[in-house]
Amino acid sequence: ELAELEKRGCTQQVMTQWMKDVDTMEKWLTKKMTVLGLLSVLRLPASSLPQSVVPMIPNIISTAVSLSIKMKEELEAGHKDDDDGAIEAEADDDDDWGGYDEDQDVTNPDDEAYMSALNKLSQGGDIANFLLGDGWDGLDEDDDEDFHSPLDNVDEMHFVNDILKEAYKREPDVYQQIQGALPAETVSSCQQIFASVDAQRQQAGGH
């Protein structure tokens, strides 16, 4: 998606709007996709990221960390949405996508719908609707309750922990500078997440 956004010259605009929309997101799935989506950017070496994205990394981390903490608090308080929270992965889905064959036409209605939705997004479309696949995932609104996704198996707190630690280990000098640009609250929240995940894994390994 970054490559497509770069082609349209709107990467910074979309990323900025995405982070701004976090405060108005209501659905659990949208929040989870936001945490995973934003931090997935950090899987790429900083040198390979679009120049417009690199200065946004501290804000990306702050937004994702803050949202993951908020989600944890909502879950503990029992405020997780029932309609879109119970999303389970189906084993049969693993074999549904194997990529395209070399001689296969890669143009299909789903791709065209996705590109159309991406165009709308670059023109100021709704980020939350895009994340939920509005207009390009082939699902009707009535399908929400029956929607299944492998994302349900991903613990967002563990994801935050792993992505940040992997990025720091991969590029310590770069992320040392990024850490220095983070608000104290974000640094504290990161330490909270690291300690929580480490404790959970130690507990799990002890049984």
Side-chain angles (χ1 to χ4, degrees), residues 14-25 59 63 127:
V14 170
M15 295 292 288
T16 300
Q17 187 62 44
W18 191 359
M19 289 184 281
K20 184 185 298 184
D21 286 354
V22 163
D23 292 334
T24 61
M25 291 178 180
N59 199 17
T63 301
I127 296 287

Side-chain angles (χ1 to χ4, degrees), residues 27-33 71 80-90 93 131-132 139 143-156:
K27 288 184 175 293
W28 183 267
L29 180 58
T30 308
K31 296 175 184 178
K32 188 166 191 173
M33 292 177 72
M71 291 174 68
K80 180 177 177 181
D81 296 333
D82 291 333
D83 60 341
D84 62 351
I87 303 168
E88 300 176 356
E90 292 182 338
D93 287 348
L131 290 175
L132 289 176
L139 293 175
D143 293 333
D144 276 354
E145 295 183 9
D146 298 323
F147 181 68
H148 300 278
S149 168
L151 290 182
D152 193 52
N153 291 338
V154 179
D155 185 306
E156 57 274 4

Side-chain angles (χ1 to χ4, degrees), residues 103-143:
D103 59 350
Q104 183 178 354
D105 185 357
V106 298
T107 301
N108 62 54
D110 289 339
D111 286 341
E112 292 176 357
Y114 174 77
M115 296 307 295
S116 175
L118 195 58
N119 283 329
K120 291 180 181 178
L121 182 63
S122 67
Q123 296 168 9
D126 188 280
I127 296 287
N129 286 341
F130 178 80
L131 290 175
L132 289 176
D134 184 30
W136 62 267
D137 67 353
L139 293 175
D140 296 326
E141 292 183 3
D142 294 338
D143 293 333

Side-chain angles (χ1 to χ4, degrees), residues 10-118:
C10 61
T11 306
Q12 186 173 18
Q13 173 191 343
V14 170
M15 295 292 288
T16 300
Q17 187 62 44
W18 191 359
M19 289 184 281
K20 184 185 298 184
D21 286 354
V22 163
D23 292 334
T24 61
M25 291 178 180
E26 297 180 356
K27 288 184 175 293
W28 183 267
L29 180 58
T30 308
K31 296 175 184 178
K32 188 166 191 173
M33 292 177 72
T34 292
V35 172
L36 273 55
L38 287 175
L39 286 185
S40 289
V41 171
L42 306 189
R43 287 188 180 278
L44 299 173
S47 60
S48 68
L49 290 172
Q51 291 185 349
S52 60
V53 173
V54 175
M56 302 178 71
I57 291 179
N59 199 17
I60 287 173
I61 294 175
S62 295
T63 301
V65 167
S66 175
L67 182 55
S68 64
I69 292 289
K70 181 180 178 181
M71 291 174 68
K72 180 176 182 290
E73 293 172 348
E74 290 177 353
L75 184 61
E76 292 174 347
H79 293 160
K80 180 177 177 181
D81 296 333
D82 291 333
D83 60 341
D84 62 351
I87 303 168
E88 300 176 356
E90 292 182 338
D92 292 339
D93 287 348
D94 292 342
D95 298 327
D96 284 350
W97 170 248
Y100 292 109
D101 294 332
E102 291 184 4
D103 59 350
Q104 183 178 354
D105 185 357
V106 298
T107 301
N108 62 54
D110 289 339
D111 286 341
E112 292 176 357
Y114 174 77
M115 296 307 295
S116 175
L118 195 58

Side-chain angles (χ1 to χ4, degrees), residues 62 65-66 69 182-192:
S62 295
V65 167
S66 175
I69 292 289
L182 294 174
E185 181 180 357
T186 298
V187 175
S188 177
S189 294
C190 286
Q191 294 171 343
Q192 177 185 339

